[in-house]
Amino acid sequence: MPTHHFKHVVLGLLMTQGLVHLEIQAQSKQIPIETRSNALVLEYDSTKTLKMRYYGEKLNDAKEYSTIASGYRQLTDYSGLSDAAYTPSGSKNLLEPAISVVHSDGNRSLDLRYEKHEVKNLDANVKQLDITLKDPVYDIYVVLHYKSFLNEDVIEQWATIQNKEKKVVTLEKFASANLTLRSNAYWLRQYHGDWAKEMQVEEAPLTHGIKVLDSKLGTRANLFQPPSFMVSLGKAASEDEGTVLMASLGYSGNFKVDFEVDYLNNLRIIAGINNYASNVKLASNQDFTTPKLIYTLSTKGKGTASRNLHNWARKYQLLDGNGERLTLLNNWEATYFDFNEQKLKGLLQDTKKLGVDLFLLDDGWFGNKYPRNSDHSSLGDWQPNRTKLPNGIATLVEEATKQGVKFGIWVEPEMVSPKSELYEQHPDWVVKQPQREEHYFRNQLVLDLTNPKVQDFVFQILDDLFTKNPALAYIKWDCNAVIYNAHSAFLKDQGAFYVSYVEGLYKVLERIRSKYPKVPMMLCSGGGGRVDYAALRYFTEFWPSDNTDPLERIFMQYEYSYFFPAISTSNHVTDWGKQSLKFRTDVAMMGKLGFDIVVSHLKEQDLLFCQQAVKDYDALKGTIWHGEQYRLADPREGDFAALSYVNSQKTEAVIFNYLVNNRYGIGTTDPIRLKGLDAQKQYRVEEINLYPGTKSSLGQGQTYSGDYLMKVGVNPDLNSNRPSVLLKISAR
Ligand code: DGJ
C-alpha cells in the first residue's frame, strides 16, 4: 500500500473512532448563511478547502455549527474534497467536478483554497456573501457568491471565475453551484416533455452514481426538460411535511444538473451551463460569471418551499412581480394566419364586448415578398403585410384606443425563415453549418445572436414597433426552433457559440428593458420551451404550453405552481378539450387570464358567462396574483385537484376545485381542508363563476370560522354535474 494511502486509511480509522475530529473541529472555521428558518454552513480547516457542511434548520446558537462535523461517522473522504463547496478537477478530486480548466501552459489541474470572504448587507432582508478561492499554484481565482433572502429563505448562488494568468485559460466546466446534502435517501422530482406535453413529472429515489438533467437544444432549451427540480430528503416530501430543496437554474440556454450520490452516501448537486460542445476561453485578466442557481429549503414540505420561491420571485426577480397584468383576447386559434384589417377590427370590438383589457395580434401580420400565410416563410421580414393590413399596425392601435382597449403584438425576433428577404440578404446571420444540408425545426432557422449586428437587428424589430406605435401595450415574444447545426459565421471560436448566443439574447433584452422598462411581455416558446428565472427578469409572464385542454392544464399548472407564482403564468380559454366553457375558464383563472376563442361564435349564454367571469376575475385577481398559494388536493393522488390563494391580510381567499376523473359516481365525499386562513376570523363561503341559470348546491354563502375551515374544511360538492367549482371566501 503506498504510504500516502496508508496515512489516509489510518486517519480515516481514527476519524471513525472519533479520535481526530476534535482537533480538526478546533481548527475549522464556519461561514454560516442564515435565513429566517435555515442555515447553509460552509466550513474550512487548516487545509483551507472550503466545504459545505450543513444545510438545514438554523440553530439558536451559531457557535454550535462547529460541532456538526463531529456527528458524522462516514467512510473515509480520501480526497478531502467530496463535500467541497466548488469541486476542482485534475488534482485530488475523485468525483464529479464543478470546474475544469486548461491552463495557459496546457496543464489541466486545479486546486482551490479559501483566501477570504466578505459579507455585504444589501438591505435589511438581503445579504451577499462572497468567498474567494485561489489555486495555490496557478493564478486562477473563483469567487463564490451567495445572495440570501432572509424572509423568503431563498439563496441565489453563482460563481465568478477569474483568470489572472498571463495567457488564455480554457474553462471546460464552469458550474454555478455545487451543493452537498446529507441524508439516508434522496427523492428527485424532475420534469420532461415535448410540445403540448410540458411539465410531465417523475419522482424517484436517486441511486448511487450520477443522474443528469440537461438540455442541448440551444434555444427553446426547455422543450424536453426544464431547469427546475426538487429533491426531498429521507422520503418524498408531501405538501406540508418533509424536507425538500426546490431549485431552478436561471439560464435560458443549455443547462446541466448532475445529481451524484457518492460512495459516502452524500448527494452532490452540481448545476450550471451545460459544457456540451462548449468551453469558455478567458484571456488574461478576464472573468466569467456563471448564471444563478436559485434554491430554497423547506423542512415543512413543498407548500412552504413554493411560497418561498413565489415571494422571492415577485419581489426580486420577475419583471413587475408585484404589479398588475392585462387580461386579453388573442387571435391565434381564432384565426390562425387568416385575417385582414376588417376582421381584426371586428376582434377589437369583441375584446371590448368580452370586457378584457387588451387585444393580442398573433402570428401572420408581416412579410410582403413572402407573405406570412403559413409557417413556411417570412420570419425576419417584420414589415406589416400590405394585403392583410394596408394601413399597417398603427391604424389597428388607433382603432383599439378608440374602442377603449389596449393593443399587443406577437413577434418571433430570434428566428428566420429560409424563405424570407432577411435570409436572402444576410445568409451569414443564420446559424447553420455552411457545408451541411440545412435542417429545420418548424420550417425555420435561428439567427446568430452572437453577432452584434444581429443583436442590433433584433433590438430594432421591437424598437421600430414601439417607435411607430407608442401606444403598443404588450409583446408576445415567441421562439419556436431549437438549434441544429450549431455554427456561427461571426465567431472565430465555435466552442463559444452556445454561451455567446444566450449572452447575445440577454444583451438585446437588456437594451429593450432599459428603453421600455415596463411594457408587459410574454415569454413564449412554442409553448413552455423557455421557462426560467433569468428570462423572467425581462418578462412579466410566460406561456406554459400550447396545450390548453383544461384537464391537461390542471396537471401542468399544478407542477409549474411549485416553482412559479400564478401572476407569471398566462392561461387562455380556448376550444381545446372536452370540458365545458366554465371548466375551461375556471382553469385559466388560476394565473393570468386570457381568451383565444371566436367571441362572435359564442352562444348568448356563453358570452354572458364569459363577461361575468371576467368581472369575477377582476374582483379576485389581486388575491390570485399577490396572495399566498396553497395546494389542497393533488390531482395525481386522487380524483380531485384543489388549489387556493389567500390574500396577505387573510381576509379573502379563492379556491379552485376540479374533478379530474370521470368514473361512475365520483364526487367529493369529504370536505377539503383549507390552509392559510386566520383561525380567529369568520368567513363567508360562496360559490362564484356559476354558469347563467345554474344554482350552487352549496346554498347562499354560509359562514364558518377559519379554525373550522382549516381543521374540518368545506365540501365543494364536486361531481360529474359540477366538475369545476370556484369558491370565494371572505372574512366578515
Ligand atoms: C407558438 C405559440 O406557442 C402559439 O401561441 C402561437 O403564437 C404560435 N407559435 C404562432 O406561430
Side-chain angles (χ1 to χ4, degrees):
M1 185 188 293
T3 48
H4 69 274
H5 194 174
F6 178 71
K7 259 196 287 177
H8 280 302
V9 171
V10 172
L11 188 68
L13 215 67
L14 291 172
M15 281 181 82
T16 51
Q17 290 166 10
L19 298 177
V20 290
H21 71 264
L22 286 178
E23 186 200 334
I24 288 172
Q25 182 188 317
Q27 293 165 348
S28 71
K29 292 218 165 43
Q30 287 69 39
I31 311 175
I33 303 163
E34 290 187 322
T35 53
R36 183 170 41 101
S37 314
N38 304 323
L40 187 159
V41 181
L42 300 162
E43 184 173 280
Y44 61 93
D45 58 23
S46 54
T47 69
K48 299 278 170 95
T49 299
L50 186 74
K51 300 173 173 199
M52 181 164 163
R53 186 49 81 193
Y54 176 74
Y55 193 20
E57 280 186 284
K58 97 173 159 194
L59 302 181
N60 293 336
D61 181 357
K63 286 203 285 303
E64 288 193 300
Y65 292 129
S66 64
T67 314
I68 292 174
S70 65
Y72 286 86
R73 311 264 160 166
Q74 299 187 326
L75 296 176
T76 308
D77 177 1
Y78 300 102
S79 66
L81 285 176
S82 74
D83 54 359
Y86 201 72
T87 315
S89 70
S91 50
K92 289 183 300 177
N93 173 50
L94 300 171
L95 302 170
E96 183 63 26
I99 178 169
S100 300
V101 305
V102 184
H103 298 284
S104 40
D105 63 2
N107 188 290
R108 305 180 78 92
S109 72
L110 187 72
D111 187 4
L112 291 171
R113 306 292 173 113
Y114 170 88
E115 274 241 327
K116 59 175 181 184
H117 75 276
E118 186 192 4
V119 182
K120 287 178 258 168
N121 287 321
L122 302 181
D123 62 37
N125 194 48
V126 189
K127 277 188 189 166
Q128 187 171 319
L129 163 68
D130 296 324
I131 309 182
T132 304
L133 309 176
K134 186 189 176 306
D135 187 319
V137 177
Y138 284 94
D139 278 339
I140 297 291
Y141 291 74
V142 175
V143 185
L144 301 182
H145 310 278
Y146 300 81
K147 197 169 179 182
S148 55
F149 298 82
L150 181 74
N151 284 319
E152 294 75 17
D153 273 325
V154 165
I155 296 177
E156 293 174 4
Q157 187 181 338
W158 73 103
T160 304
I161 302 157
Q162 304 171 332
N163 173 20
K164 295 195 179 164
E165 293 183 22
K166 299 229 155 43
K167 291 189 189 146
V168 174
V169 161
T170 306
L171 307 180
E172 295 198 327
K173 190 165 185 190
F174 31 91
S176 299
N178 179 172
L179 307 177
T180 301
L181 302 176
R182 292 176 168 83
S183 181
N184 57 356
Y186 309 93
W187 286 74
L188 173 67
R189 191 174 182 91
Q190 61 171 96
Y191 299 92
H192 68 278
D194 191 355
W195 178 78
K197 277 184 80 67
E198 290 83 348
M199 286 308 262
Q200 304 298 309
V201 64
E202 284 165 341
E203 186 159 18
L206 287 162
T207 54
H208 288 84
I210 301 183
K211 159 99 188 177
V212 175
L213 301 182
D214 81 337
S215 167
K216 303 183 181 75
L217 277 54
T219 45
R220 203 177 178 176
N222 309 151
L223 181 64
F224 302 151
Q225 198 144 67
S228 301
F229 60 88
M230 59 183 108
V231 173
S232 304
L233 303 186
K235 59 178 184 186
S238 67
E239 203 51 32
D240 299 304
E241 280 174 359
T243 298
V244 59
L245 172 92
M246 227 175 242
S248 195
L249 185 76
Y251 192 61
S252 313
N254 294 348
F255 69 88
K256 182 165 187 258
V257 189
D258 307 302
F259 300 86
E260 179 172 23
V261 179
D262 66 21
Y263 70 103
L264 301 167
N265 302 328
N266 296 331
L267 172 62
R268 310 172 71 252
I269 302 177
I270 298 177
I273 296 177
N274 199 341
N275 54 356
Y276 162 74
S278 288
N279 55 39
V280 171
K281 292 214 160 60
L282 287 182
S284 177
N285 283 319
Q286 212 187 346
D287 296 354
F288 179 74
T289 302
T290 71
K292 293 172 177 168
L293 179 71
I294 299 126
Y295 53 92
T296 184
L297 185 85
S298 159
T299 54
K300 298 185 176 58
K302 295 184 283 191
T304 300
S306 288
R307 287 185 290 280
N308 290 346
L309 283 182
H310 296 172
N311 289 332
W312 164 83
R314 281 185 297 222
K315 198 160 169 201
Y316 297 105
Q317 190 74 13
L318 174 69
L319 190 87
D320 204 16
N322 284 322
E324 298 293 304
R325 297 292 186 272
L326 300 166
T327 53
L328 58 83
L329 176 67
N330 188 195
N331 71 314
W332 174 239
E333 292 180 18
T335 65
Y336 292 107
F337 298 97
D338 178 21
F339 57 80
N340 56 27
E341 184 178 306
Q342 208 189 346
K343 203 166 182 178
L344 294 182
K345 284 187 171 167
L347 296 185
L348 290 171
Q349 286 171 5
D350 289 346
T351 309
K352 183 70 188 166
K353 200 192 282 177
L354 200 56
V356 291
D357 302 316
L358 173 130
F359 173 72
L360 170 59
L361 173 59
D362 215 283
D363 195 354
W365 58 268
F366 50 92
N368 283 301
K369 180 172 177 187
Y370 305 107
R372 178 77 169 171
N373 291 328
S374 78
D375 62 11
H376 282 79
S377 71
S378 327
L379 292 171
D381 301 347
W382 298 102
Q383 298 77 35
N385 175 271
R386 285 187 290 271
T387 314
K388 289 182 190 173
L389 305 174
N391 301 301
I393 299 297
T395 184
L396 293 169
V397 184
E398 268 165 39
E399 179 64 22
T401 315
K402 243 188 261 165
Q403 294 290 339
V405 294
K406 293 181 193 294
F407 189 88
I409 201 160
W410 176 98
V411 285
E412 196 180 358
E414 295 157 75
M415 301 288 156
V416 58
S417 304
K419 207 167 156 195
S420 68
E421 291 183 79
L422 182 70
Y423 187 98
E424 288 168 357
Q425 287 155 12
H426 297 286
D428 57 326
W429 283 9
V430 179
V431 175
K432 55 179 180 152
Q433 295 279 357
Q435 310 102 313
R436 294 187 196 279
E437 198 183 331
E438 289 177 5
H439 190 64
Y440 306 126
F441 199 103
R442 207 197 184 202
N443 317 304
Q444 64 196 57
L445 289 165
V446 179
L447 287 175
D448 179 11
L449 269 180
T450 70
N451 183 340
K453 285 196 184 128
V454 177
Q455 293 167 19
D456 288 345
F457 171 80
V458 172
F459 170 75
Q460 212 56 53
I461 300 168
L462 276 291
D463 197 32
D464 277 355
L465 279 167
F466 285 126
T467 314
K468 290 186 186 137
N469 309 287
L472 192 63
Y474 187 89
I475 298 288
K476 175 176 176 181
W477 180 303
D478 209 345
C479 170
N480 283 292
V482 302
I483 293 179
Y484 293 120
N485 290 317
H487 180 91
S488 158
F490 170 77
L491 287 178
K492 289 199 182 70
D493 170 16
Q494 297 302 321
F497 174 74
Y498 285 115
V499 175
S500 305
Y501 182 92
V502 180
E503 280 171 1
L505 173 67
Y506 292 155
K507 278 187 197 154
V508 173
L509 290 167
E510 212 48 67
R511 277 170 78 185
I512 293 170
R513 280 315 183 187
S514 62
K515 196 158 175 194
Y516 308 102
K518 281 241 157 171
V519 183
M521 294 210 295
M522 184 207 282
L523 175 62
C524 173
S525 183
R530 188 186 264 165
V531 184
D532 74 89
Y533 269 122
L536 287 171
R537 282 178 73 84
Y538 307 103
F539 292 86
T540 46
E541 55 220 67
F542 67 89
W543 182 236
S545 176
D546 276 356
N547 187 341
T548 45
D549 176 322
L551 201 55
E552 295 294 331
R553 272 296 184 118
I554 290 171
F555 288 83
M556 268 185 216
Q557 289 172 206
Y558 205 88
E559 297 303 322
Y560 274 119
S561 86
Y562 285 117
F563 304 94
F564 301 97
I567 192 171
S568 65
T569 315
S570 290
N571 303 324
H572 293 178
V573 178
T574 70
D575 289 333
W576 283 57
K578 297 187 188 82
Q579 279 69 22
S580 69
L581 182 64
K582 169 176 161 54
F583 195 115
R584 285 180 271 146
T585 310
D586 286 353
V587 173
M589 281 189 177
M590 294 193 294
K592 210 219 73 170
L593 175 68
F595 291 82
D596 193 350
I597 48 174
V598 185
V599 176
S600 57
H601 291 178
L602 291 176
K603 287 190 242 114
E604 200 185 325
Q605 295 288 79
D606 282 353
L607 177 63
L608 213 65
F609 168 75
C610 289
Q611 289 166 326
Q612 185 54 46
V614 172
K615 287 193 188 120
D616 283 347
Y617 181 75
D618 279 341
L620 294 172
K621 64 190 182 190
T623 297
I624 298 170
W625 295 344
H626 308 298
E628 298 264 18
Q629 179 201 259
Y630 295 88
R631 283 175 293 263
L632 309 174
D634 186 338
R636 286 187 173 79
E637 288 172 6
D639 301 323
F640 324 108
L643 230 133
S644 75
Y645 302 90
V646 183
N647 72 353
S648 57
Q649 306 91 316
K650 299 183 186 294
T651 52
E652 184 177 85
V654 200
I655 302 144
F656 295 90
N657 307 276
Y658 308 100
L659 201 63
V660 294
N661 193 338
N662 61 6
R663 295 194 59 194
Y664 175 77
I666 222 101
T668 36
T669 49
D670 303 345
I672 294 177
R673 272 200 289 273
L674 307 190
K675 296 177 192 169
L677 302 176
D678 181 344
Q680 307 302 324
K681 284 193 165 70
Q682 294 293 316
Y683 292 95
R684 180 166 189 264
V685 178
E686 78 186 294
E687 182 173 356
I688 59 163
N689 225 28
L690 288 157
Y691 193 79
T694 55
K695 278 215 177 91
S696 172
S697 60
L698 305 182
Q700 277 313 306
Q702 252 185 282
T703 298
Y704 307 87
S705 69
D707 181 51
Y708 178 91
L709 290 171
M710 292 192 288
K711 288 179 181 162
V712 179
V714 62
N715 192 328
D717 190 20
L718 286 171
N719 58 55
S720 52
N721 295 319
R722 292 166 49 81
S724 168
V725 173
L726 191 47
L727 300 178
K728 179 182 162 188
I729 312 263
S730 348
R732 306 193 54 124

